[in-house]
Amino acid sequence: MSTLERTKFRLRAHPMALDATLATGVLVTMMASSFIDPHGDDGATWGAHTPNVLSLTLMVLSAAALVLRRRAPRTILATTGALSALELVASDPRAPVVMSAVVALYTVASATDRPTTWRVGLVTMTVLTACAMLVGPLPWYAQENLAIFAWTGMAAAAGDAVRSRRAFVHAIRERADRAERTREEEARRRVAEERLRIARDLHDVVAHHIALVNVQAGVAAHVMDKRPDQAKEALAHVREASRSALNELRATVGLLRQSGDPEAPTEPAPGLARLDELADTFRNAGLPVEVARADHGTTLPAAVDLAAYRVIQEALTNVQKHAGAEAKAEISVVRVGPNVEVTVLDNGPGQDDGPGRDDGSQEGGGHGLLGMRERVTALGGTCTTGPRYGGGFRVHAILPVKNRTAPALGDSA
């Protein structure tokens, strides 16, 4: 920081010292000007005039008043204006006391609004010029009288210009701060949405595959001694389910990588094209699953395709975990007008009415059905879940074929 910048910073930090410095400079200027005769034979002549005691007193008082110009600008303007008018009327030769009124008028104009500047400036110019022309010792048409009108007018205009520029700069800074806050809020909102989406994906992957691993591991432990071949087959299913879970987890975590990290897996996100494969994994775990589709020829957006797959996956996982050993599941995917309807039914009585089959709102409840509804709602669809009449459970989702959501709400591979 240069010496000049440090000086400016210190003066701004101590406005009273700045005003005292300004008042001293005005007093020195008025004192020096009072010794000059602008109408000498050889032009402006130094030492031709000598200010009297009244002029010296008025100059000192008016300059001292400027020290308080920031605290009470209108009062200081009235004070310096009155002292200037007294000097214009009573002193001959004149001393430039009006200079203090010019500074005070500039201060009022820079600290108030434009209508106030116009009113105060017009009154100040009129009063001082009238005193100089009508009562002063010089002729009304004297150059000094016209100079009073010009200097007061320029002071009011300069103060108004400074005030306007200060307001303009403040407005620009305020808009920049507001835009920065808006960008930060938008970034936080997008981060929250992305975290929620990844949390739903992780829940779907972990809940589905770990449930299958748990079932197959239980089967292997039960038949290990009596039927080792069946135990070996169950362990193979465990390995396959765990491999699939790892692959999907790797793909999901790959979304969190930075630009300089190693390349993430490029395997496409699962969709209804893999519905038969999904059903086979549950059949291998001992859950009878029937699939009926009437959506052939329908091309779904990636987000809708993934949401339909995740709804079916979560519903079958809940059937596997909570519907009982004798339960069966039925899946139907139907194109109805502009929508695709996905329905998963089971006929199991249920092992209990625990958290796995509720909406996740109870204490200790799961997040599967809640995440399912959030995923469908984000795409502009609806999802209803609940017990069936006569026993069992029903999951029904209606997804628009042409979703109108922003990319941030969808899922990407």
Side-chain angles (χ1 to χ4, degrees):
M1 182 180 296
S2 63
T3 304
L4 180 60
E5 291 176 345
R6 284 197 298 269
T7 304
K8 289 182 178 180
F9 180 78
R10 291 173 181 173
L11 289 177
R12 289 175 182 174
H14 302 85
M16 185 68 72
L18 178 61
D19 292 338
T21 303
L22 176 64
T24 303
V26 172
L27 178 61
V28 172
T29 303
M30 290 189 296
M31 289 286 189
S33 300
S34 63
F35 286 92
I36 298 176
D37 180 12
H39 302 291
D41 296 336
D42 298 328
T45 304
W46 171 261
H49 287 167
T50 300
N52 54 36
V53 176
L54 177 61
S55 297
L56 291 174
T57 303
L58 293 178
M59 285 188 287
V60 172
L61 292 177
S62 61
L66 293 178
V67 177
L68 303 176
R69 68 188 184 96
R70 295 179 190 267
R71 295 187 176 183
R74 299 187 188 185
T75 302
I76 298 303
L77 175 61
T79 302
T80 55
L83 295 175
S84 300
L86 179 60
E87 167 65 22
L88 293 174
V89 172
S91 295
D92 187 20
R94 282 182 190 169
V97 180
V98 72
M99 183 180 297
S100 61
V102 169
V103 175
L105 179 58
Y106 165 83
T107 303
V108 172
S110 63
T112 58
D113 54 5
R114 181 164 294 173
T116 302
T117 299
W118 278 97
R119 291 194 298 268
V120 174
L122 184 61
V123 170
T124 302
M125 287 188 295
T126 302
V127 170
L128 294 181
T129 305
C131 289
M133 289 183 173
L134 302 178
V135 186
L138 297 178
W140 68 270
Y141 54 83
Q143 183 178 357
E144 288 84 348
N145 298 336
L146 298 178
I148 293 174
F149 182 85
W151 278 105
T152 51
M154 287 189 294
D160 182 70
V162 170
R163 180 198 56 78
S164 299
R165 181 182 181 278
R166 188 185 301 124
F168 177 72
V169 172
H170 177 73
I172 291 178
R173 290 177 178 175
E174 185 177 359
R175 284 197 298 268
D177 293 340
R178 190 184 305 114
E180 183 66 23
R181 289 194 299 269
T182 302
R183 284 194 296 269
E184 292 177 355
E185 292 172 359
E186 178 67 15
R188 286 194 295 268
R189 183 186 66 82
R190 289 181 178 273
V191 168
E193 290 176 352
E194 186 67 11
R195 288 175 59 187
L196 180 60
R197 186 191 65 78
I198 294 175
R200 285 198 299 262
D201 270 349
L202 289 176
H203 174 273
D204 293 340
V205 172
V206 172
H208 164 58
H209 291 291
I210 297 304
L212 294 181
V213 168
N214 181 62
V215 171
Q216 294 292 350
V219 172
H222 182 68
V223 301
M224 179 67 71
D225 296 332
K226 298 179 180 180
R227 288 177 286 180
D229 293 339
Q230 187 174 352
K232 184 177 180 180
E233 181 180 355
L235 291 176
H237 290 315
V238 168
R239 185 174 66 176
E240 183 64 28
S242 61
R243 182 186 297 114
S244 299
L246 289 175
N247 289 337
E248 292 200 31
L249 284 174
R250 188 179 297 112
T252 302
V253 175
L255 298 176
L256 304 177
R257 295 179 182 271
Q258 301 296 327
S259 58
D261 292 341
E263 184 177 357
T266 57
E267 180 183 356
L272 292 180
R274 298 175 56 183
L275 180 56
D276 292 334
E277 179 183 343
L278 176 65
D280 288 338
T281 61
F282 284 95
R283 293 189 186 106
N284 293 332
L287 175 65
V289 179
E290 296 182 3
V291 179
R293 300 188 62 173
D295 63 327
H296 299 292
T298 301
T299 301
L300 299 179
V304 176
D305 198 21
L306 176 60
Y309 180 88
R310 293 303 191 196
V311 167
I312 297 172
Q313 183 185 55
E314 177 62 27
L316 291 178
T317 301
N318 283 340
V319 173
Q320 180 73 47
K321 293 166 59 177
H322 304 286
E326 303 299 328
K328 298 180 180 179
E330 298 178 3
I331 303 171
S332 67
V333 181
V334 182
R335 171 70 183 269
V336 181
N339 302 320
V340 168
E341 297 188 9
V342 176
T343 306
V344 180
L345 308 174
D346 70 78
N347 61 350
Q351 297 174 349
D352 51 44
D353 294 328
R357 299 290 283 244
D358 64 16
D359 59 0
S361 60
Q362 299 177 4
E363 184 178 358
H367 300 280
L369 298 184
L370 178 61
M372 184 189 306
R373 293 192 186 113
E374 290 176 348
R375 185 187 294 275
V376 173
T377 303
L379 297 174
T382 59
C383 180
T384 58
T385 61
R388 296 174 59 194
Y389 178 76
F393 202 79
R394 177 177 181 269
V395 175
H396 181 68
I398 301 176
L399 294 164
V401 175
K402 297 181 180 180
N403 73 86
R404 299 177 296 277
T405 58
L409 297 179
D411 294 279
S412 59

